[in-house]
Amino acid sequence: MRRPRGEPGSRAPRPTEGATCAGPGESWSPAPNSMLRVLLSAQASSARLSGLLLLPPVQPCCLGPNKWGDHRPPGGGPHAGPVQGLQRLLEQPPPVEQATLQDLSQLIIRNCPSFDIHTIHVCLHLAALLGFPSDGPLMCALEQERRFRLPPKPPPPLPPILRGGQRLEAALSCPCFQRRPQQHLIRSLAEARPEELTPHVMVLLAQHLARHRLREPQLLEAIAHFLVVQEAQLNSKVVQKLVLPFGRLNYVPLEQQFMPCLERILAREAGVAPLATVNILMSLCQLRCLPFRALHFVFSPGFINHVSGTPHALIVRRYLSLLDTAVELELPGYRGARLPRRQQVPIFPQPLITDRARCKYSHKDIVAEGLRQLLGEEKYRQDLTVPPGYSTDFLLCVSSCGSVLPVRAQDPFLPYPPRSCPRATRDPAQRVVLMLRERWHFCRDGRVLLGSRALRERHLGLMGYQLLPLPFEELESQRGLPQLKSYLRQKLQALGLHWGPEGG
């Protein structure tokens, strides 16, 4: 006696005529045991196979909505035979032999040009379930028909023909244009006509070189020449952006009219845009090319009073303080106005942005540990800011005979300004500053210090500090703390320093 459908212990009902109903949005797939029966292979006549594949089913089959958005009516439509024939083949009790599968393949290949797109997709799916190889004739024929039925894609629009200046602007405006761009930029620049090199294009080029630390002489010379040629059309806000890479990359152009041109622009525009004016002077300060006339103007009471009420007052005062330091240390012949003492502020009250962003890549921690084990904590100071506001990585106090002294027992600062406050004879101690030269402190070529780093080292040396640079190439070659300690010992002893009961 047959059990009622759904009663516990009863077998799942077999699909009528081998058809399986899929719910809305579902795709049909056979049960694993039916696939196994097919793959075991046995007898089935070609005539029966043709009937399974091509004749409409006796009972209606519901495939349900599919991902192509069409609904098959009851009965399957004019092309339902191949789909339901494959379904029956998967679900029939007798296994099918390999020869039958080959006959099925040939039958579908011959008839697939008459199938609709839905039938093509379902045949692809079922053929894969039957184990037909993806690179075999059946799958290739079905896939070819599928591609043929797809609506043709519109051809991509032809890229506009870009000239040198337009190509240069397009490249510089692309955010991912960072890998080895120099030769492409040089070629685009060489192909550009003079009228295509607009201030906007040249500003993009200058910003790109500064941002990526690309000290490319040919491109920098092109910017300098453009500035000289277009002097009358450029205001100080554009000029500050064009001059930025020269100071940052520590590059003095060969263009002979570069400095005279900037002096004329500063004389014409200094009172119009105060922040742009001091930005230009900052770049020139890094190049050791400060024009006296512009310094007279920015240190004048009128200019200082004017900028004090602007939103940029603090940063302008910081730049003016650095310019005043440069005048003190580098321009002994200057006799003009100076920044009043009450207006001076620390130049760099905190580490630079790049150092903060890359602190996890810095060698500072391991060098600090090496000095601690080598000298002891009391004989060095880390991250000390010395007047007028320059940070030092590590500072040592050394006696006249070369002995490293406890820093806390000494005044670590040398007097500033050095000209007006000469060192007292009772304090003969020397100050040694260990300067980390990390990879990002250099231009991309790794040989020339960035302008801001070179300026700091130059000013610390002029203030009387003895500098001991620690280049990144040497630090990266040390393998482990013991080797680093040996490296630091050799560096310090080369300066004639000694420490500890046995001199280190």
Side-chain angles (χ1 to χ4, degrees), residues 243-262:
V243 175
L244 173 66
F246 296 96
R248 175 166 170 75
L249 302 173
N250 202 3
Y251 182 85
V252 179
L254 299 176
E255 172 63 62
Q256 295 183 354
Q257 289 300 311
F258 180 75
M259 284 305 304
C261 171
L262 287 179

Side-chain angles (χ1 to χ4, degrees), residues 255-305:
E255 172 63 62
Q256 295 183 354
Q257 289 300 311
F258 180 75
M259 284 305 304
C261 171
L262 287 179
E263 291 188 31
R264 290 191 295 270
I265 293 174
L266 284 171
R268 184 183 74 225
E269 297 271 335
V272 179
L275 183 59
T277 298
V278 293
N279 277 333
I280 295 171
L281 287 174
M282 280 292 297
S283 295
L284 295 179
C285 181
Q286 293 170 347
L287 298 177
R288 306 178 73 174
C289 300
L290 286 172
F292 280 29
R293 184 177 177 184
L295 291 174
H296 280 283
F297 179 81
V298 298
F299 288 143
S300 66
F303 183 85
I304 295 173
N305 292 336

